[in-house]
Amino acid sequence: MRKEMLLWQAMRVTYPQVKWLFGDYGVRGPNTAEDVISPNTNGKIRHTIGQSYYIVRGHSVQQPGKGAQMYKLAKTVVDSIHYMGKDFSWGDARILACSKEEFKGNSTDWIAIDTSHHMAWVVAEVEEFELKTTASVVSV
């Protein structure tokens, strides 16, 4: 559940005279903390959808198949009703390339890919919400 977006939308409707800004956060990489190694990082793709996330999760990259599991995970996203197409964002184009086994990536790449899709989604979502909210205030 994307609680921050739901809260922002509720505040925007409840107090339309206030210009509430929406801010979001991203995922922190498994190797970003000093001297902390995360050998059991698992393959996963986080895909922002509507009011929640579609998360396709694999297994530890230390197990057989290691990073190659990303091909199947990407194909799962591409074959789902949630995939927006390669032109939606750079991240969506990378997911498609991975599903075709043209690119595998590592955990840092996948955070960038997830974030690319998420940012494109949020910008479109906020824009659409603002247009609807403005239209309903004007028509009252």
Side-chain angles (χ1 to χ4, degrees):
M1 186 66 75
R2 296 177 53 224
K3 296 175 187 173
E4 292 83 1
M5 179 55 80
L6 293 172
L7 175 61
W8 176 79
Q9 289 174 349
M11 297 298 286
R12 202 56 196 104
V13 170
T14 305
Y15 303 101
Q17 72 282 6
V18 177
K19 296 294 182 189
W20 298 102
L21 299 176
F22 178 73
D24 215 342
Y25 54 92
V27 176
R28 185 174 168 182
N31 296 323
T32 56
E34 290 182 29
D35 299 325
V36 176
I37 298 171
S38 181
N40 294 313
T41 299
N42 60 316
K44 73 172 96 30
I45 301 174
R46 295 167 209 84
H47 207 64
T48 307
I49 59 168
Q51 304 291 319
S52 58
Y53 300 96
Y54 176 57
I55 300 175
V56 182
R57 189 177 179 109
H59 54 74
S60 168
V61 295
Q62 298 302 311
Q63 293 179 8
K66 300 189 179 208
Q69 66 181 301
M70 296 310 295
Y71 301 139
K72 182 178 178 186
L73 299 178
K75 182 133 178 52
T76 299
V77 173
V78 169
D79 291 345
S80 77
I81 62 170
H82 306 298
Y83 184 64
M84 302 293 294
K86 67 179 177 68
D87 296 327
F88 184 73
S89 73
W90 168 82
D92 289 273
R94 298 307 284 159
I95 293 169
L96 180 61
C98 183
S99 75
K100 296 177 178 180
E101 299 189 17
E102 298 169 357
F103 163 81
K104 180 172 42 175
N106 58 39
S107 59
T108 301
D109 294 326
W110 282 99
I111 290 170
I113 291 165
D114 295 347
T115 301
S116 171
H117 171 82
H118 177 74
M119 297 305 293
W121 180 276
V122 168
V123 167
E125 182 178 31
V126 167
E127 181 178 43
E128 180 181 350
F129 186 83
E130 285 293 329
L131 287 171
K132 287 179 182 176
T133 302
T134 302
S136 66
V137 170
V138 171
S139 66
V140 170

PDB file of all heavy atoms in Angstrom, residues 3-26:
ATOM      1  N   LYS A   3       0.931   4.362   1.220  1.00  0.00           N
ATOM      2  CA  LYS A   3       0.270   5.205   2.224  1.00  0.00           C
ATOM      3  C   LYS A   3       0.552   6.693   2.027  1.00  0.00           C
ATOM      4  O   LYS A   3      -0.328   7.525   2.242  1.00  0.00           O
ATOM      5  CB  LYS A   3       0.702   4.771   3.623  1.00  0.00           C
ATOM      6  CG  LYS A   3       0.264   3.379   3.980  1.00  0.00           C
ATOM      7  CD  LYS A   3       0.821   2.956   5.323  1.00  0.00           C
ATOM      8  CE  LYS A   3       0.509   1.494   5.575  1.00  0.00           C
ATOM      9  NZ  LYS A   3       1.171   1.010   6.783  1.00  0.00           N
ATOM     10  N   GLU A   4       1.767   7.037   1.625  1.00  0.00           N
ATOM     11  CA  GLU A   4       2.117   8.448   1.453  1.00  0.00           C
ATOM     12  C   GLU A   4       1.275   9.098   0.355  1.00  0.00           C
ATOM     13  O   GLU A   4       0.816  10.225   0.495  1.00  0.00           O
ATOM     14  CB  GLU A   4       3.615   8.609   1.136  1.00  0.00           C
ATOM     15  CG  GLU A   4       4.527   8.244   2.280  1.00  0.00           C
ATOM     16  CD  GLU A   4       4.804   6.747   2.398  1.00  0.00           C
ATOM     17  OE1 GLU A   4       4.302   5.953   1.563  1.00  0.00           O
ATOM     18  OE2 GLU A   4       5.495   6.361   3.347  1.00  0.00           O
ATOM     19  N   MET A   5       1.077   8.369  -0.741  1.00  0.00           N
ATOM     20  CA  MET A   5       0.272   8.915  -1.833  1.00  0.00           C
ATOM     21  C   MET A   5      -1.186   9.059  -1.404  1.00  0.00           C
ATOM     22  O   MET A   5      -1.833  10.067  -1.696  1.00  0.00           O
ATOM     23  CB  MET A   5       0.379   8.048  -3.091  1.00  0.00           C
ATOM     24  CG  MET A   5      -0.454   8.557  -4.264  1.00  0.00           C
ATOM     25  SD  MET A   5      -0.144  10.261  -4.774  1.00  0.00           S
ATOM     26  CE  MET A   5       1.336  10.059  -5.753  1.00  0.00           C
ATOM     27  N   LEU A   6      -1.696   8.059  -0.712  1.00  0.00           N
ATOM     28  CA  LEU A   6      -3.083   8.134  -0.238  1.00  0.00           C
ATOM     29  C   LEU A   6      -3.268   9.316   0.716  1.00  0.00           C
ATOM     30  O   LEU A   6      -4.273  10.042   0.635  1.00  0.00           O
ATOM     31  CB  LEU A   6      -3.473   6.826   0.454  1.00  0.00           C
ATOM     32  CG  LEU A   6      -3.545   5.597  -0.449  1.00  0.00           C
ATOM     33  CD1 LEU A   6      -3.752   4.329   0.381  1.00  0.00           C
ATOM     34  CD2 LEU A   6      -4.647   5.744  -1.478  1.00  0.00           C
ATOM     35  N   LEU A   7      -2.306   9.531   1.598  1.00  0.00           N
ATOM     36  CA  LEU A   7      -2.384  10.662   2.536  1.00  0.00           C
ATOM     37  C   LEU A   7      -2.331  11.984   1.772  1.00  0.00           C
ATOM     38  O   LEU A   7      -3.130  12.885   2.024  1.00  0.00           O
ATOM     39  CB  LEU A   7      -1.254  10.588   3.562  1.00  0.00           C
ATOM     40  CG  LEU A   7      -1.166  11.777   4.523  1.00  0.00           C
ATOM     41  CD1 LEU A   7      -2.451  11.887   5.359  1.00  0.00           C
ATOM     42  CD2 LEU A   7       0.059  11.645   5.417  1.00  0.00           C
ATOM     43  N   TRP A   8      -1.406  12.101   0.820  1.00  0.00           N
ATOM     44  CA  TRP A   8      -1.288  13.331   0.050  1.00  0.00           C
ATOM     45  C   TRP A   8      -2.592  13.625  -0.687  1.00  0.00           C
ATOM     46  O   TRP A   8      -3.078  14.757  -0.683  1.00  0.00           O
ATOM     47  CB  TRP A   8      -0.128  13.225  -0.947  1.00  0.00           C
ATOM     48  CG  TRP A   8      -0.025  14.434  -1.829  1.00  0.00           C
ATOM     49  CD1 TRP A   8       0.514  15.639  -1.513  1.00  0.00           C
ATOM     50  CD2 TRP A   8      -0.518  14.541  -3.170  1.00  0.00           C
ATOM     51  NE1 TRP A   8       0.393  16.496  -2.577  1.00  0.00           N
ATOM     52  CE2 TRP A   8      -0.228  15.846  -3.608  1.00  0.00           C
ATOM     53  CE3 TRP A   8      -1.165  13.665  -4.036  1.00  0.00           C
ATOM     54  CZ2 TRP A   8      -0.569  16.300  -4.890  1.00  0.00           C
ATOM     55  CZ3 TRP A   8      -1.499  14.112  -5.311  1.00  0.00           C
ATOM     56  CH2 TRP A   8      -1.205  15.413  -5.715  1.00  0.00           C
ATOM     57  N   GLN A   9      -3.188  12.611  -1.314  1.00  0.00           N
ATOM     58  CA  GLN A   9      -4.438  12.807  -2.044  1.00  0.00           C
ATOM     59  C   GLN A   9      -5.559  13.241  -1.103  1.00  0.00           C
ATOM     60  O   GLN A   9      -6.334  14.144  -1.431  1.00  0.00           O
ATOM     61  CB  GLN A   9      -4.818  11.530  -2.792  1.00  0.00           C
ATOM     62  CG  GLN A   9      -3.916  11.241  -3.961  1.00  0.00           C
ATOM     63  CD  GLN A   9      -4.205   9.903  -4.624  1.00  0.00           C
ATOM     64  OE1 GLN A   9      -4.948   9.071  -4.112  1.00  0.00           O
ATOM     65  NE2 GLN A   9      -3.595   9.688  -5.781  1.00  0.00           N
ATOM     66  N   ALA A  10      -5.631  12.628   0.071  1.00  0.00           N
ATOM     67  CA  ALA A  10      -6.670  13.003   1.047  1.00  0.00           C
ATOM     68  C   ALA A  10      -6.485  14.441   1.511  1.00  0.00           C
ATOM     69  O   ALA A  10      -7.456  15.203   1.610  1.00  0.00           O
ATOM     70  CB  ALA A  10      -6.641  12.042   2.232  1.00  0.00           C
ATOM     71  N   MET A  11      -5.250  14.822   1.796  1.00  0.00           N
ATOM     72  CA  MET A  11      -4.980  16.194   2.240  1.00  0.00           C
ATOM     73  C   MET A  11      -5.272  17.194   1.123  1.00  0.00           C
ATOM     74  O   MET A  11      -5.796  18.274   1.379  1.00  0.00           O
ATOM     75  CB  MET A  11      -3.518  16.323   2.697  1.00  0.00           C
ATOM     76  CG  MET A  11      -3.173  15.449   3.894  1.00  0.00           C
ATOM     77  SD  MET A  11      -4.126  15.847   5.372  1.00  0.00           S
ATOM     78  CE  MET A  11      -3.338  17.361   5.852  1.00  0.00           C
ATOM     79  N   ARG A  12      -4.953  16.831  -0.092  1.00  0.00           N
ATOM     80  CA  ARG A  12      -5.166  17.708  -1.240  1.00  0.00           C
ATOM     81  C   ARG A  12      -6.658  17.979  -1.455  1.00  0.00           C
ATOM     82  O   ARG A  12      -7.062  19.085  -1.789  1.00  0.00           O
ATOM     83  CB  ARG A  12      -4.550  17.031  -2.464  1.00  0.00           C
ATOM     84  CG  ARG A  12      -4.183  17.831  -3.615  1.00  0.00           C
ATOM     85  CD  ARG A  12      -3.232  18.980  -3.360  1.00  0.00           C
ATOM     86  NE  ARG A  12      -3.338  19.824  -4.531  1.00  0.00           N
ATOM     87  CZ  ARG A  12      -4.003  20.963  -4.565  1.00  0.00           C
ATOM     88  NH1 ARG A  12      -4.538  21.458  -3.492  1.00  0.00           N
ATOM     89  NH2 ARG A  12      -4.113  21.622  -5.689  1.00  0.00           N
ATOM     90  N   VAL A  13      -7.489  16.950  -1.240  1.00  0.00           N
ATOM     91  CA  VAL A  13      -8.938  17.097  -1.408  1.00  0.00           C
ATOM     92  C   VAL A  13      -9.549  17.816  -0.211  1.00  0.00           C
ATOM     93  O   VAL A  13     -10.402  18.685  -0.357  1.00  0.00           O
ATOM     94  CB  VAL A  13      -9.600  15.713  -1.616  1.00  0.00           C
ATOM     95  CG1 VAL A  13     -11.108  15.798  -1.538  1.00  0.00           C
ATOM     96  CG2 VAL A  13      -9.158  15.119  -2.947  1.00  0.00           C
ATOM     97  N   THR A  14      -9.101  17.464   0.986  1.00  0.00           N
ATOM     98  CA  THR A  14      -9.655  18.053   2.211  1.00  0.00           C
ATOM     99  C   THR A  14      -9.319  19.534   2.337  1.00  0.00           C
ATOM    100  O   THR A  14     -10.140  20.327   2.795  1.00  0.00           O
ATOM    101  CB  THR A  14      -9.131  17.292   3.450  1.00  0.00           C
ATOM    102  OG1 THR A  14      -9.443  15.900   3.295  1.00  0.00           O
ATOM    103  CG2 THR A  14      -9.769  17.811   4.728  1.00  0.00           C
ATOM    104  N   TYR A  15      -8.119  19.915   1.939  1.00  0.00           N
ATOM    105  CA  TYR A  15      -7.661  21.305   2.039  1.00  0.00           C
ATOM    106  C   TYR A  15      -7.197  21.793   0.664  1.00  0.00           C
ATOM    107  O   TYR A  15      -6.010  22.005   0.432  1.00  0.00           O
ATOM    108  CB  TYR A  15      -6.514  21.412   3.050  1.00  0.00           C
ATOM    109  CG  TYR A  15      -6.882  20.894   4.416  1.00  0.00           C
ATOM    110  CD1 TYR A  15      -6.470  19.627   4.829  1.00  0.00           C
ATOM    111  CD2 TYR A  15      -7.650  21.664   5.290  1.00  0.00           C
ATOM    112  CE1 TYR A  15      -6.818  19.140   6.086  1.00  0.00           C
ATOM    113  CE2 TYR A  15      -8.002  21.184   6.547  1.00  0.00           C
ATOM    114  CZ  TYR A  15      -7.583  19.922   6.924  1.00  0.00           C
ATOM    115  OH  TYR A  15      -7.922  19.452   8.171  1.00  0.00           O
ATOM    116  N   PRO A  16      -8.132  21.994  -0.271  1.00  0.00           N
ATOM    117  CA  PRO A  16      -7.744  22.348  -1.643  1.00  0.00           C
ATOM    118  C   PRO A  16      -7.041  23.697  -1.767  1.00  0.00           C
ATOM    119  O   PRO A  16      -6.308  23.922  -2.725  1.00  0.00           O
ATOM    120  CB  PRO A  16      -9.071  22.348  -2.402  1.00  0.00           C
ATOM    121  CG  PRO A  16     -10.110  22.545  -1.362  1.00  0.00           C
ATOM    122  CD  PRO A  16      -9.576  21.933  -0.108  1.00  0.00           C
ATOM    123  N   GLN A  17      -7.233  24.583  -0.792  1.00  0.00           N
ATOM    124  CA  GLN A  17      -6.594  25.892  -0.858  1.00  0.00           C
ATOM    125  C   GLN A  17      -5.105  25.826  -0.526  1.00  0.00           C
ATOM    126  O   GLN A  17      -4.354  26.720  -0.871  1.00  0.00           O
ATOM    127  CB  GLN A  17      -7.312  26.893   0.067  1.00  0.00           C
ATOM    128  CG  GLN A  17      -7.095  26.667   1.554  1.00  0.00           C
ATOM    129  CD  GLN A  17      -7.910  25.532   2.165  1.00  0.00           C
ATOM    130  OE1 GLN A  17      -8.605  24.779   1.490  1.00  0.00           O
ATOM    131  NE2 GLN A  17      -7.806  25.382   3.489  1.00  0.00           N
ATOM    132  N   VAL A  18      -4.669  24.741   0.113  1.00  0.00           N
ATOM    133  CA  VAL A  18      -3.263  24.573   0.450  1.00  0.00           C
ATOM    134  C   VAL A  18      -2.570  23.851  -0.703  1.00  0.00           C
ATOM    135  O   VAL A  18      -3.072  22.854  -1.205  1.00  0.00           O
ATOM    136  CB  VAL A  18      -3.093  23.755   1.761  1.00  0.00           C
ATOM    137  CG1 VAL A  18      -1.620  23.530   2.067  1.00  0.00           C
ATOM    138  CG2 VAL A  18      -3.799  24.444   2.918  1.00  0.00           C
ATOM    139  N   LYS A  19      -1.438  24.357  -1.122  1.00  0.00           N
ATOM    140  CA  LYS A  19      -0.682  23.734  -2.219  1.00  0.00           C
ATOM    141  C   LYS A  19       0.257  22.665  -1.638  1.00  0.00           C
ATOM    142  O   LYS A  19       1.456  22.866  -1.501  1.00  0.00           O
ATOM    143  CB  LYS A  19       0.115  24.782  -2.993  1.00  0.00           C
ATOM    144  CG  LYS A  19      -0.759  25.796  -3.687  1.00  0.00           C
ATOM    145  CD  LYS A  19      -1.576  25.143  -4.777  1.00  0.00           C
ATOM    146  CE  LYS A  19      -2.416  26.168  -5.494  1.00  0.00           C
ATOM    147  NZ  LYS A  19      -3.356  25.579  -6.403  1.00  0.00           N
ATOM    148  N   TRP A  20      -0.329  21.540  -1.272  1.00  0.00           N
ATOM    149  CA  TRP A  20       0.454  20.434  -0.730  1.00  0.00           C
ATOM    150  C   TRP A  20       1.392  19.901  -1.805  1.00  0.00           C
ATOM    151  O   TRP A  20       0.979  19.655  -2.927  1.00  0.00           O
ATOM    152  CB  TRP A  20      -0.455  19.283  -0.280  1.00  0.00           C
ATOM    153  CG  TRP A  20      -1.400  19.638   0.815  1.00  0.00           C
ATOM    154  CD1 TRP A  20      -2.726  19.905   0.682  1.00  0.00           C
ATOM    155  CD2 TRP A  20      -1.106  19.765   2.196  1.00  0.00           C
ATOM    156  NE1 TRP A  20      -3.286  20.180   1.894  1.00  0.00           N
ATOM    157  CE2 TRP A  20      -2.303  20.109   2.860  1.00  0.00           C
ATOM    158  CE3 TRP A  20       0.059  19.626   2.953  1.00  0.00           C
ATOM    159  CZ2 TRP A  20      -2.377  20.311   4.229  1.00  0.00           C
ATOM    160  CZ3 TRP A  20      -0.017  19.823   4.318  1.00  0.00           C
ATOM    161  CH2 TRP A  20      -1.221  20.165   4.937  1.00  0.00           C
ATOM    162  N   LEU A  21       2.628  19.700  -1.456  1.00  0.00           N
ATOM    163  CA  LEU A  21       3.587  19.090  -2.364  1.00  0.00           C
ATOM    164  C   LEU A  21       3.683  17.611  -2.020  1.00  0.00           C
ATOM    165  O   LEU A  21       3.501  17.228  -0.871  1.00  0.00           O
ATOM    166  CB  LEU A  21       4.964  19.740  -2.225  1.00  0.00           C
ATOM    167  CG  LEU A  21       5.028  21.241  -2.540  1.00  0.00           C
ATOM    168  CD1 LEU A  21       6.428  21.756  -2.267  1.00  0.00           C
ATOM    169  CD2 LEU A  21       4.622  21.510  -3.971  1.00  0.00           C
ATOM    170  N   PHE A  22       3.979  16.795  -3.020  1.00  0.00           N
ATOM    171  CA  PHE A  22       4.154  15.375  -2.753  1.00  0.00           C
ATOM    172  C   PHE A  22       5.630  15.031  -2.835  1.00  0.00           C
ATOM    173  O   PHE A  22       6.316  15.418  -3.774  1.00  0.00           O
ATOM    174  CB  PHE A  22       3.374  14.507  -3.748  1.00  0.00           C
ATOM    175  CG  PHE A  22       3.576  13.037  -3.510  1.00  0.00           C
ATOM    176  CD1 PHE A  22       2.989  12.425  -2.417  1.00  0.00           C
ATOM    177  CD2 PHE A  22       4.389  12.279  -4.327  1.00  0.00           C
ATOM    178  CE1 PHE A  22       3.187  11.075  -2.160  1.00  0.00           C
ATOM    179  CE2 PHE A  22       4.590  10.936  -4.091  1.00  0.00           C
ATOM    180  CZ  PHE A  22       3.991  10.328  -2.997  1.00  0.00           C
ATOM    181  N   GLY A  23       6.121  14.333  -1.845  1.00  0.00           N
ATOM    182  CA  GLY A  23       7.497  13.849  -1.836  1.00  0.00           C
ATOM    183  C   GLY A  23       7.480  12.360  -1.590  1.00  0.00           C
ATOM    184  O   GLY A  23       6.593  11.839  -0.921  1.00  0.00           O
ATOM    185  N   ASP A  24       8.436  11.665  -2.151  1.00  0.00           N
ATOM    186  CA  ASP A  24       8.492  10.222  -2.003  1.00  0.00           C
ATOM    187  C   ASP A  24       9.925   9.826  -1.693  1.00  0.00           C
ATOM    188  O   ASP A  24      10.826  10.662  -1.684  1.00  0.00           O
ATOM    189  CB  ASP A  24       8.005   9.560  -3.291  1.00  0.00           C
ATOM    190  CG  ASP A  24       7.243   8.270  -3.046  1.00  0.00           C
ATOM    191  OD1 ASP A  24       7.349   7.695  -1.954  1.00  0.00           O
ATOM    192  OD2 ASP A  24       6.542   7.831  -3.967  1.00  0.00           O
ATOM    193  N   TYR A  25      10.148   8.583  -1.477  1.00  0.00           N
ATOM    194  CA  TYR A  25      11.489   8.097  -1.170  1.00  0.00           C
ATOM    195  C   TYR A  25      11.766   6.862  -2.004  1.00  0.00           C
ATOM    196  O   TYR A  25      10.876   6.274  -2.594  1.00  0.00           O
ATOM    197  CB  TYR A  25      11.617   7.769   0.313  1.00  0.00           C
ATOM    198  CG  TYR A  25      10.568   6.809   0.804  1.00  0.00           C
ATOM    199  CD1 TYR A  25      10.817   5.443   0.795  1.00  0.00           C
ATOM    200  CD2 TYR A  25       9.337   7.261   1.253  1.00  0.00           C
ATOM    201  CE1 TYR A  25       9.843   4.556   1.220  1.00  0.00           C
ATOM    202  CE2 TYR A  25       8.362   6.371   1.680  1.00  0.00           C
ATOM    203  CZ  TYR A  25       8.621   5.029   1.664  1.00  0.00           C
ATOM    204  OH  TYR A  25       7.672   4.136   2.086  1.00  0.00           O
ATOM    205  N   GLY A  26      13.028   6.489  -2.056  1.00  0.00           N
ATOM    206  CA  GLY A  26      13.408   5.341  -2.863  1.00  0.00           C
ATOM    207  C   GLY A  26      13.974   4.214  -2.012  1.00  0.00           C
ATOM    208  O   GLY A  26      13.947   4.260  -0.785  1.00  0.00           O
TER     209      GLY A  26
END
